[in-house]
Amino acid sequence: LHQTAHQKVAETGELLDSYKIQVNPREINLFYIDDNLRERIIRENSTYIVNNTEITFTNEELLNELEKHPEKFSPNVIMRPLYQEVILPNLCYIGGGGELAYWLELKSYFDASKITFPVLLLRNSVLLATEKQANKADKLELSWSDLFMKQFDLKDKIVKRESGLKLDFSEQKRFLEAQFAKLKEIANETDPSFLGAVNAQEAKQIKGLNTLEQRLIKAEKRVHEDKLIRVTALQNELFPNQSLQERTANFSEFYMGSGSIMIEQLFAVLKPLDHQFEVVVV
């Protein structure tokens, strides 16, 4: 009735600017379920509508239905953790980075609902690489940190490293900003209405430098295309579909190649509560 989940999760999402938002709340985060039916509940003015059906409820009818048939109301991804912690409370929830970012979005919603929020604990993670892949990385002069970069940023880094040209225009941008700072002082002392034109010209000049910088990097990428192809091929092997290996690959693929020694390697390296992302060459 009050869209508490929508309000609180949206508020918290704005505070998590260093995290990728995992889920976006709706005004109503419940489904209505019946035989062969599971559809969202949507409010239009003072009426509640079950999406893609002709089922409708007033406030009173909806509450009456909830009282008589609670089993017909199913939570979506936003409300499911709340249900989970009411039915089977946890002292601690252990998860990967994406899972914890998702739970963090729900903290103020739990508080508003007066439900105890579990302690969140980041588990450690692992990337399995073959010796062949590790050797490729060495030949390409790539660190493991490099391979964890976004592919676009990694390409830029490689091009800037390989090119004999200075591809970073930061110095020129700082010079421009200093010049425009002086112009703004003059404008303020003579005619403050001129300040808008100065700001617009500064933005235009900086944008022009950014465009030139990107065009130069693009041209250099063509020059170093062969190396970039090898770099991205290796990264794609380690991060299928530009995602974490654990989301697509099964450990058995590696086990078939190395056998039980891989298990021993993992036991020796992995410390579940260390919060680290380990790279293990198997």
Side-chain angles (χ1 to χ4, degrees):
L1 298 182
H2 306 292
Q3 287 85 58
T4 306
H6 177 257
Q7 178 191 338
K8 294 299 179 182
V9 175
E11 284 175 7
T12 307
E14 291 177 7
L15 303 175
L16 298 173
D17 54 0
S18 58
Y19 290 85
K20 181 182 177 182
I21 294 298
Q22 302 292 313
V23 288
N24 290 298
R26 297 183 181 276
E27 283 77 8
I28 296 176
N29 295 280
L30 289 162
F31 293 94
Y32 185 78
I33 51 180
D34 208 339
D35 295 338
N36 303 314
L37 172 70
R38 185 174 187 263
E39 291 285 354
R40 289 192 297 119
I41 300 171
I42 302 168
R43 188 173 74 168
E44 290 187 3
N45 300 318
S46 59
T47 304
Y48 294 88
I49 297 167
V50 178
N51 198 35
N52 296 320
T53 74
E54 296 182 0
I55 302 170
T56 63
F57 299 99
T58 63
N59 262 20
E60 187 179 348
E61 288 169 342
L62 187 72
L63 293 176
N64 187 50
E65 181 77 354
L66 178 63
E67 200 65 38
K68 289 182 176 178
H69 301 286
E71 75 282 359
K72 291 190 175 183
F73 293 81
S74 168
N76 74 352
V77 68
I78 291 289
M79 292 189 71
R80 187 165 61 240
L82 191 81
Y83 271 52
Q84 177 179 312
E85 295 304 316
V86 168
I87 298 167
L88 291 170
N90 291 296
L91 286 174
C92 179
Y93 182 87
I94 303 172
E99 292 169 302
L100 295 202
Y102 159 49
W103 275 81
L104 285 172
E105 287 184 58
L106 307 174
K107 177 65 171 69
S108 60
Y109 174 43
F110 269 72
D111 292 343
S113 304
K114 295 182 172 54
I115 301 300
T116 302
F117 191 72
V119 173
L120 300 182
L121 182 63
L122 178 68
R123 63 170 168 79
N124 67 334
S125 297
V126 63
L127 170 70
L128 298 176
T130 63
E131 286 188 18
K132 184 177 178 182
Q133 288 168 332
N135 290 334
K136 280 184 186 177
D138 288 339
K139 286 178 184 176
L140 292 167
E141 300 175 88
L142 293 171
S143 68
W144 292 116
S145 295
D146 290 336
L147 288 162
F148 272 82
M149 293 174 70
K150 291 182 179 177
Q151 197 161 95
F152 181 84
D153 295 331
L154 177 59
K155 286 182 178 180
D156 277 2
K157 180 176 180 176
I158 297 298
V159 169
K160 288 175 181 177
R161 187 185 74 192
E162 297 294 317
S163 177
L165 303 172
K166 184 172 174 58
L167 303 177
D168 185 351
F169 287 3
S170 298
E171 186 180 332
Q172 288 79 2
K173 291 172 195 173
R174 285 193 295 270
F175 177 78
L176 259 182
E177 287 165 355
Q179 297 303 306
F180 274 101
K182 291 177 183 177
L183 280 173
K184 289 173 190 177
E185 288 176 14
I186 296 170
N188 273 325
E189 291 174 8
T190 55
D191 183 0
S193 66
F194 186 57
L195 197 59
V198 175
N199 286 330
Q201 191 60 227
E202 180 184 18
K204 183 178 179 181
Q205 296 287 337
I206 296 292
K207 184 180 179 182
L209 272 179
N210 285 334
T211 301
L212 286 173
E213 184 179 57
Q214 289 307 313
R215 288 182 66 179
L216 185 57
I217 291 172
K218 190 175 180 180
E220 282 296 291
K221 280 180 179 177
R222 288 195 292 269
V223 173
H224 301 284
E225 185 176 6
D226 179 61
K227 187 157 194 174
L228 290 176
I229 288 172
R230 285 183 287 141
V231 166
T232 54
L234 176 59
Q235 192 185 48
N236 290 338
E237 287 176 15
L238 295 168
F239 297 91
N241 304 317
Q242 295 293 290
S243 184
L244 291 179
Q245 183 188 71
E246 65 185 41
R247 293 177 181 167
T248 55
N250 188 287
F251 92 99
S252 61
E253 297 172 29
F254 299 90
Y255 188 82
M256 286 172 67
S258 58
S260 60
I261 192 171
M262 185 187 86
I263 304 298
E264 294 171 18
Q265 283 178 283
L266 293 175
F267 269 112
V269 173
L270 298 183
K271 303 288 183 277
L273 304 183
D274 263 5
H275 308 167
Q276 299 299 311
F277 203 121
E278 299 286 352
V279 177
V280 179
V281 178
V282 295

